[in-house]
Amino acid sequence: MSAAPDTNSLSNNQRAVEQLAKVLSQNSIDVPILPEAAHRVITLTQDPESNAEQLAAVIQSDPTMGGHVMRIANSSAYTPNSNLVSIQQAVARLGMIEIGNIALLTSVNTKMFNAPAYKKHINSIWQHALATALWSKEVARAMRSNVEAAFLCGLLHSIGRPVILQTISEAEPSIGLLNDKELEAVFNEFESAYSEAVTTEWQLPDIVAAAIGFYKNFNSAPTQPELAATVAFGAELASMMLSKDTSKEEQEKLLSSPALSLINLYPDEIETLMGKKDTIKTAMDALLV
């Protein structure tokens, strides 16, 4: 009979894997609580029968959310030539989609996760998630597809990652700090399962859960493969935009993305999309709260 492994000899990465697997098997993942107002915003923006009055009422019910929405809605990125004075006016001017997105972002952000040692990583994950949401929305618009779902799925596509970092952080000091290579390894192994835990706990719509769970493997998605591919392509566009060194080769690589086999955009449509980079950067600056 072989002896049990000496835990003192395990690497940080091995300890992290053991802890993440243990928490997962025990169904004890500490998923951050989604504020009630944020949940109602998600429900309304995914419901074709909802209306602007209902959305405005939800936002007004949460003073913090309402304040952030008005600040962002009045920024130069959204209303450069006007001064909005009420939630109702903001919804009327910008529409339910934009105001719903802004409202959601005021609740779902980096402040939800408690992992001080990995604050830099969480900020980076969130920045990429926001960029993915904005790009996914534009891809969906070009496809004449579900813009609301594309934004939400893009925003939450990597939600398992900060939860993983929080889980590792809570196990310290038994697990030391992981380097970038080690973190990428645990993300690859556990991201899908931890994202599923979040979508279940937050009771997200099935269309969202399906796309988030299969954005890395959209061809195998049992449902919503096009939406999953939309998010995958949005994530690629986000990575390229956020890269400090975007070469011509990387741009050409984008044109051969496997996601294009499902979302079926032509080179001229992709070129038009890429021309929106400055607009998306401006929107990101306004939305980062």
Side-chain angles (χ1 to χ4, degrees):
M1 183 174 179
S2 59
D6 179 6
T7 56
N8 292 323
S9 68
L10 296 178
S11 67
N12 289 342
N13 185 67
Q14 290 171 318
R15 291 191 183 96
V17 168
E18 285 192 351
Q19 179 65 17
L20 290 166
K22 176 183 177 181
V23 170
L24 186 61
S25 67
Q26 294 177 345
N27 195 27
S28 58
I29 299 173
D30 184 14
V31 177
I33 296 174
L34 181 67
E36 176 61 24
H39 189 273
R40 291 168 65 193
V41 166
I42 291 173
T43 301
L44 286 173
T45 54
Q46 298 299 309
D47 181 4
E49 301 298 322
S50 65
N51 57 52
E53 184 179 347
Q54 292 172 310
L55 180 61
V58 169
I59 295 172
Q60 287 175 322
S61 72
D62 186 319
T64 301
M65 176 183 284
H68 282 306
V69 167
M70 291 306 298
R71 177 183 63 79
I72 295 170
N74 273 309
S75 69
S76 59
Y78 286 90
T79 52
N81 298 315
S82 63
N83 184 28
L84 303 174
V85 297
S86 69
I87 298 296
Q88 291 90 336
Q89 187 183 9
V91 175
R93 185 70 58 83
L94 299 178
M96 285 186 63
I97 295 175
E98 292 294 355
I99 294 300
N101 293 343
I102 293 171
L104 180 61
L105 279 163
T106 65
S107 295
V108 183
N109 53 52
T110 58
K111 298 172 186 175
M112 299 181 71
F113 306 100
N114 183 28
Y118 293 102
K119 183 178 180 180
K120 180 185 73 173
H121 294 88
I122 291 178
N123 287 339
S124 177
I125 291 167
W126 190 249
Q127 185 181 42
H128 184 269
L130 178 54
T132 299
L134 292 167
W135 279 115
S136 296
K137 181 179 72 173
E138 294 303 327
V139 173
R141 198 191 308 278
M143 296 167 60
R144 297 175 178 81
S145 188
N146 189 330
V147 175
E148 299 95 326
F151 181 91
L152 180 58
C153 292
L155 183 67
L156 301 180
H157 79 286
S158 57
I159 193 66
R161 292 189 173 210
V163 178
I164 286 171
L165 293 178
Q166 180 174 283
T167 302
I168 294 173
S169 186
E170 289 172 350
E172 288 182 319
S174 62
I175 301 174
L177 284 176
L178 273 62
N179 60 39
D180 290 348
K181 185 177 180 180
E182 291 170 330
L183 285 174
E184 197 59 36
V186 296
F187 288 158
N188 288 336
E189 184 170 352
F190 292 99
E191 179 182 347
S192 179
Y194 274 69
S195 290
E196 182 180 355
V198 176
T199 61
T200 300
E201 183 68 24
W202 287 359
Q203 299 179 339
L204 296 178
D206 291 343
I207 184 176
V208 174
I212 292 174
F214 284 89
Y215 84 93
K216 285 184 175 180
N217 193 22
F218 44 81
N219 284 317
S220 299
T223 62
Q224 309 302 328
E226 288 187 358
L227 180 55
T230 297
V231 173
F233 194 61
E236 291 184 67
L237 286 162
S239 295
M240 189 179 71
M241 184 185 78
L242 296 172
S243 173
K244 294 181 180 179
D245 181 24
T246 303
S247 65
K248 185 177 180 181
E249 289 75 17
E250 287 177 314
Q251 295 182 37
E252 291 175 349
K253 183 180 178 181
L254 194 68
L255 295 175
S256 60
S257 168
L260 292 177
S261 63
L262 280 180
I263 62 179
N264 199 29
L265 291 179
Y266 295 102
D268 60 325
E269 293 174 309
I270 296 172
E271 186 176 349
T272 299
L273 270 175
M274 293 173 67
K276 297 179 181 291
K277 182 173 69 173
D278 289 341
T279 301
I280 287 179
K281 281 185 175 180
T282 301
M284 280 189 65
D285 289 341
L287 290 169
L288 286 170
V289 294

